[in-house]
Structure formats: C-alpha cells, structure tokens
Amino acid sequence: MNTDVEFHIRQNYPWTKLPANVKQSLGNSQREYEKHVLLYSIRNQLRFRNNLVRHVRKDERKYYEELLKYSRDHLMLYPYHLSDIMVKGLRVTPFSYYIGIMEDIMNSEKSYDSLPNFTAADCLRLLGIGRNQYIDLMNQCRSSKKFFRRKSARDLLPAKPVEISVEPWWVAQTGYITEDDIRICSSAEKKAIDKMIDSGPQLAGSMEYNVVLSLYNRGFIYLDVPISDDSCISVPPLEGFVMNRVQGDYFETLLYKIFVSIDEQTNVAELANVLEIDLDLVKNAVSMYCRLGFAVKKGQVFSSEQLHPTWKNAPSVNRLKSTMDPQKMLLSWEQGSPVMEGGSSATDTDTTSLEDQADTASVSSLSIPAAPTKRIAFLFDSTLTAFLMMGNLSPNLKSHAVTMFEVGKLSDETLDSFLAELEKVESTAEGEAQRYFDHALTLKNTILFLRYNKELTQDQGPDIPNIGFPLDMLRCESLLGLDQATCSRVLNKNYKLLVSMAPLSNEIRPISSCTPQHIGPAIPEVSSIWFKLYLYHVTGQGPPSLLLSKGSRLRKLPDIFQVYDRLLITSWGHDPGVVPTSNVLTMLNDALTHSAVLIQGHGMHGHGETVHIPFPFDEEDLKAEFSYSNMCTHKALQKLKEHVDLEHQCGYITMLNPNNRHRRRASDSECRGDTHLGGGLDTNGSTESFELVTEENNGDGKAKTDSFSSEDEWVPLELCFGMPLFSSELNRKVCRKIASHKLCSNESLQELLHSSRKLSLKVLSFVQSFQDGIQPSDLDSGVSNPLSQPPAESGVPLPALNLLFKDGQLKEWSGRAPPPLDISALQKDQPT
C-alpha cells in the first residue's frame, strides 16, 4: 500500500479531502480508496468508532468479525485493546482465539515455528503449549488417524487456560455473562460479579485472588493492563519468550521498535514523543509487554492497604518482592569481578531467582548517588548473541542472550545479574567452543571497564560527583529497525558516547552517529570493503587485491594470485574467509553471479601470518625501532596517521605477512579457511591472531620472531575501529589505551567529532571517484549500469568498476594484458 495513502487513512481523510496526487495514485476511484481504508483498518486492528472505516463499512459487527478472521488467519496477537468488543460483543476470549489458531495450524500440519514470536509466547502463557508440547500433540493427532479412535485436534487441546500470572494493579472487567453462567457461580464469585456490574471495573488486587482466576478461566471476566502517560517500565531478562520467526505485522514491528528504545527513566508519553508514534499505540505495546511478563511496571503500583489478604501468597506478587540488600548487588569494576554476596547462589536454583536478581539490580542502581542522566552505549551485533547462546556457558546466561537478541538491549539495571552469569563461565574449553568462552570472558572485562569507571570521566567538573557513566548494551540490528531520524533522537536523548565491538559483522550496517560521538565506524563505508581499498590507497601498501563487480566472470585466476597458496575472499556484505587457491575459480564465479567479490593474497605457504596492533599508539612505542612486537613504527602506519585519526579513536590494525615459512606454530595442518564465500567469521583469523597476541608476552617468542621479522615483509590488511572481543589480551591493551589516552574526555570526544566527519567525507569522496568513471564496454569485465546502484538496505554503493591494487597503486582492471588506466595517479594529481 502506498505510504501517502496510508498516511491519509491514518489521519482520517475522507475521499473529498484527499490531495489530487493521492487520488491519481488510486486511479481517481473512490471505491478503490474505500477498499484500502477497510484493508488498512483490519490489518492495523483499528477500532470501528472514531476511525474512517465507519464511513466505509456500515455493519460494525461484521467489521469486527472480519478483523478477527484476518488476525487469526495471519497468526497475529489477540487484539487486547479491543477486549470490550471481542469479549462482550463477539464472546471471543484470548483463550478461545488461541485455541482456534492452534487448531488451524495442527489441522494444516504446520510446524511450531510457523507461529510468530509474540503469538507463540502468548499461547505458551495461556494454553501452556510450547514447542515440546506441540510436537507431542501433533504425534498424538497423527497416531490417532491410524486407528479407529480418530481424535480431532480440538479434542487434544486444553479445555481451559492454565493458571496465569495476574498483577494486583490489573483491572477486571465483566465479559459476556448469561443467567445460566451466574447459576454455576459460587457465592463469592456472584458477589464479585455484582460489584463489577454495580460499581464498574475493579482492581484485581482488591478482589479475592482465587475468585479472579476462577472467573477469568471461565471467560466471565477479562483483564485490562492499564498504562498511563507517566508510567515507566523496566525490562528484566526475558523468561518465557519463544524464538520462532518474525512476521512483520504492524503490532509486532511496533513491539520491537519500543523494546530497543525504552528505558526505566523515560515515561510512556516521552517515549511516544521521541519515537513520534501515536501515544495510544505505545500504551498498547507497553501493556502487552506487562501482560506477557516481559516488562515490569515501576513505582508504587498498588498500596498494601488496598490489597486483598488472599494476594499475599500469590506468585505474581512474590515474584516482584525484593528481599536482598540492594547494596550487595553493586559491582566493583576495580576488582575486576562482580560482588555477589547476597544472591550468587540463588541463580543456580531456578529461573524465578534470576528475575529476583534483575528486580533487585534495578533497585540497586537507584541507590547510586547522583547518577549521571546520560550513559555509554556498547554496540554489538548478533554474532555475539549467537556465541553466548551456543556455548552452554553458564546456567542462566541464555535468558540474557535471548534478551540481547530479541529486545536488542540490556540496560544498566540488569547488568549486575548478567555479569554474575559471565563470572561463572569457565576460562578453557575444547575446539571451537573456546571462541565462545573467549568472547564471553572478554565481554565481561569490557563491561567492567566501561561501566562506572571513574578513570574515563575525570573532567566532569567540581560540582558533579565523578562516579563514571552507567552502561547500556544495544544490538545494532535492533537500532536499524528504527528510521534514521528516530534512531538519532533515541541515542541523543540517552547516551553521551557510543562504543562499538570490533569487528562488527559485514552483514549488518553499522550505526552512523556524529552526536553522540562514536568510537567505532563513523559511517557504513568505514566498515566495508571500500575502507580496505582506501587504506591501501593512502598508504601505498597492502596485499594484492582485486575487487570484482557483480556479474563479472573470470576465465582464469589473475597472475598476481598464482604465487599464493591461500586467498582471502570477501563477498559483498559478508564476512571474509580464507580458501585454498587450487579450487577457488569455480567458487568465485558462482559468488560473482549474486555479489561483488574482493580477492586478496593471504599466504604463499599455507595461511598468512597476522598480527593485531592496538591503537592509539603510545609515545614510547613510536620512538622505538620496528620489531615483531612493536609494529606501530611501520612506515605504512606512519603514513596512515596522516589520513586517519588514530589518536582519538581506538581499535586495531591487522598486519599480514604472506611469506610465513618461519612460523613457529606447527598448525599448518590444523588451519582451516572458511570455504563458504558467504560464510561467517573467519575462524582461522580470530583464533590464530589470538595466539599471536598472547605470544607477545613470551620473551623467548619475541627473540625468535624479531630475528626474522623485517618491515618489508609486513603489509596492512585491515583497520577496525572499536573494542575487540575475540582476544582478551588485545582487548586488555585497548582498554588500557582508552584510559591512558583519555579518549572519553570531553576534549578528546570533541576532536573525535571533527575527525570522524573529515574521515567520512574523505572516504565518501574516494568511493564516489570510482562511481563516476566511464563504464567499460568490455564483456570480460561484466559490469552493467544497474549494478552500480546500492541496495536499499545497505546504503553502501556497489563497485561500478573492477579495481586492482598492485605495487602500491589502485587501478581500474580490464581483465586484459595491456596496462590499465591508473585512476589513483589521477586522484593524486600525478602526470600519467
């Protein structure tokens, strides 16, 4: 549906008041507009009254029946905001609605994964049917078909809801109750119904607990979860969330947008203003979080005087009671480990204790004196959440990892319990699992370093107590779900500084931010293949590299790569992999049919040797001679400093030695290049470089390597901005440099702002210079005009030319023997 049409429907524009261009887009047909109005209203579960649909469809009941059918067919969440119509008018309760959905998917023999995430979570809450229960039901259903005692799916489904969690501040309202229903009620239930009929809706906590549950289970009442303009909520680690699939309907999209944007200090009205979303929609979403148990309403929501005595033993209330001393939950980053005197053992027992910790953690954060209003945001991608989920690292770490992935955020208030879980992770593991353990341990050290670190905020001023900044963790992909303007407003409202993990996956687009300042890639191009070429172009050094545009085809491997035993292959928008030269041609041509590809020489005898050099560089290191353990004096890096600000950013530069005959590690047979071109992280790259960095501590190792390391053997491979998590030693060095170089001081951040803008302009200009070139007509290059347009989701321009970096120069590559046009020479204003 046209966005202009949607906007005018949302604003209740009748046909007569539509602008001419919108009418034209609908073929000047009022009937067509009315169809769009009805479809939009049903898709977005709009109320009949006060909306445009009332002028299009006269029968209100029929409209709601269509809405309910559409929602059920598309497996959407029950429209709780229309409960008064659904329960009282149509007599469809959430329980009967989800039973209908379950019956449909069972009869269609669909998998449990066909249920969208939030719908599956609500089914689990009301029906008690999760993945295992569904599989069991389907097996029973199939086996019954083989015999005469055939059972329908409906016969196998529960007859009444499971016992749900009800909060005392929820509001009980009467549903559709007949005289026959009243006859089967107990005297206490009749009394409660009479009170609701005579006095209106009642707070659940003012009624007898068992009566509320009993009436709800029979469908005689429904429960509203009231959210006011000034309500604030907190999101503890997710329990009961189901990770199935994302559907993309309006409400699900809204739920995910609000998940990553919400914080404990911002009330609902402010949040709606920041997101520029209708206040009632935001209230509906927040109400849904609380109903599903994914969020907790903050503040005094119910006074103990109003609470009926029977609620004292209710599980929902006890879950929110904080019995531990808040001070015992505070963490000391200086000691390098969480102090969990009051509740460390509690997390080993069950999942409810984890929630207790999360609630207590939010209390503890309030006890910190005069905490600063703005925070530091640590940006991570889904690779990190995958590592935390896959490794079976500690008992309750998975719920935090699910929260990081689905909510897209771990707020400072929940980091205490997260750190307590990371503290339980073992330091050693076998094989591939070691990577997961390394990332978890390095993440813990990174959080402890950034969070409430007084070293980072020594220039706060005399009037402000220096206690450091709180830390939130944000998932890049979740932030990218917001439009750019909204994302900028959310970040500017809550954060003073953004710090990215390094490297971020090539499969996502990094967050672009000038304010708040960003220690990480300034723009997406800085985290792309283009930046590698820019690095080689300005330094005049780098491995032989060939960037082929999508649609190109190689008849043979270019001569410059024939001497290499291993090549580093990066297909556009994916992470690199090291592959053997022997069988690479077929793979390259296959990849080039759907993507641009960068080919680089990596190793002449097995894998090339890589070393990661952290920056900013220390003064004493710059004064020393070049050596294996001190590569920051390399001439390429000295030249790089003139073009890229390495003083007010942090990260690492990867140096490559392709001629690695002298490698000390006898691991040639163990080295594994990721041969899948679109594959994940180059496992060899991260684990091997980890060994190299740790070996720097070994004095004997230095002596051996220094004896054969010459400056000319090494070339820069890539530069990554941010905080590395794949190596604890490299991470420790970067943390030390952040503190010693005062990168978080106001002065340094101001310099970072200017240098990030300058670098962005330089890189964009560099990229543009290769987009404006004349398109070669040579069929061998295989370049066509439409391919030079960037895909909408990435925003990074695809190469319009095939480019070759060789002998210190970046040139257009025609794929033929004659010398190609020297573009870099033209850029540097050198005569050709």
Side-chain angles (χ1 to χ4, degrees), residues 352-425:
T352 53
S353 60
L354 185 69
E355 292 175 344
D356 290 337
Q357 280 192 7
D359 292 317
T360 316
S362 65
V363 175
S364 71
S365 64
L366 299 176
S367 64
I368 296 170
T373 52
K374 292 205 172 185
R375 304 180 171 202
I376 295 173
F378 182 71
L379 306 177
F380 61 91
D381 62 28
S382 298
T383 311
L384 180 62
T385 59
F387 286 172
L388 295 178
M389 285 183 203
M390 288 191 292
N392 194 22
L393 304 176
S394 86
N396 294 316
L397 193 58
K398 191 171 181 181
S399 66
H400 289 283
V402 170
T403 308
M404 289 165 71
F405 184 81
E406 293 292 350
V407 176
K409 179 177 185 175
L410 269 189
S411 63
D412 184 77
E413 290 79 9
T414 60
L415 285 186
D416 286 327
S417 57
F418 181 51
L419 284 166
E421 289 305 317
L422 289 175
E423 186 74 4
K424 297 175 186 174
V425 175

Side-chain angles (χ1 to χ4, degrees), residues 378 384 438-439 442-443 446 501-503 723-728 731:
F378 182 71
L384 180 62
D438 290 340
H439 276 77
T442 313
L443 176 63
T446 302
M501 68 174 268
M723 295 193 71
L725 295 184
F726 59 85
S727 160
S728 56
N731 176 271

Side-chain angles (χ1 to χ4, degrees), residues 598-616:
L598 177 68
I599 311 167
Q600 296 180 283
H602 193 267
M604 294 181 179
H605 311 279
H607 287 257
E609 187 170 13
T610 54
V611 173
H612 300 309
I613 307 166
F615 63 84

Side-chain angles (χ1 to χ4, degrees), residues 426-478:
E426 300 287 334
S427 57
T428 55
E430 293 181 2
E432 186 69 9
Q434 184 63 51
R435 291 176 68 208
Y436 311 148
F437 284 71
D438 290 340
H439 276 77
L441 294 169
T442 313
L443 176 63
K444 179 191 74 175
N445 295 335
T446 302
I447 294 170
L448 290 171
F449 173 75
L450 292 173
R451 189 180 183 225
Y452 294 115
N453 187 342
K454 297 174 187 176
E455 266 191 90
L456 303 183
T457 54
Q458 290 174 350
D459 58 347
Q460 285 297 297
D463 301 331
I464 305 169
N466 181 18
I467 60 165
F469 284 104
L471 179 73
D472 284 357
M473 296 179 64
L474 302 176
R475 189 172 75 104
C476 289
E477 295 93 327
S478 298

